[in-house]
Amino acid sequence: DVFISHNWSTSQFLKFITLAFHFNEIAALASANIVAFIAFALTCHGYLPICELHQIGEELPARMGMGCSTAGIVTFCIVLFFGHSIRRAIGLRGSMLFLDKLCVSQTDEQLKQRGIESLAA
């Protein structure tokens, strides 16, 4: 499991982003790719719209399906920021996390052990 030493000088938002990437990035990337592939297949079969972009000097319009990018980005963000809640909702146990809010020493093993032992349960 995971032990994280707390740094009071860093903003809460940056701490959350860091932890989200550390714990949810792989699941977010995998989910986004799967959803983007499904959107691609749906676009190829005509279930999602295709935009036609007319460019000056070009006879034929460029055709683009926006579903893949949109679905992939939205899925990535949802899983990145809420992956821990999603896992808990479906009954999966994530990593156990101990957050050191009292600044236990991380460089001296004896001080670290004494600091951990002195924490109130």
Side-chain angles (χ1 to χ4, degrees):
D1 292 329
V2 181
F3 177 86
I4 297 176
S5 183
H6 182 68
N7 181 345
W8 290 103
S9 65
T10 306
S11 73
Q12 184 177 1
F13 176 73
L14 288 178
K15 289 175 200 166
F16 176 76
I17 295 295
T18 301
L19 291 172
F21 269 97
H22 180 78
F23 289 106
N24 299 333
E25 181 181 24
I26 293 172
L29 287 170
S31 301
N33 280 308
I34 291 167
V35 169
F37 180 77
I38 292 169
F40 170 74
L42 291 172
T43 302
C44 288
H45 292 307
Y47 294 109
L48 292 178
I50 294 177
C51 302
E52 291 189 355
L53 303 173
H54 298 276
Q55 296 179 352
I56 298 173
E58 298 288 329
E59 286 186 34
L60 298 175
R63 300 179 71 199
M64 287 181 46
M66 299 300 292
C68 301
S69 298
T70 304
I73 291 169
V74 169
T75 301
F76 179 82
C77 291
I78 289 171
V79 175
L80 181 68
F81 297 127
F82 301 106
H84 55 287
S85 297
I86 294 167
R87 279 192 294 277
R88 188 172 47 243
I90 61 175
L92 297 177
R93 181 190 172 280
S95 296
M96 202 54 149
L97 177 67
F98 178 82
L99 179 61
D100 168 25
K101 295 176 88 172
L102 302 175
C103 298
V104 173
S105 174
Q106 298 300 303
T107 55
D108 184 330
E109 286 300 317
Q110 282 186 324
L111 283 176
K112 181 178 181 179
Q113 188 59 39
R114 283 197 332 215
I116 291 172
E117 290 169 359
S118 70
L119 296 173

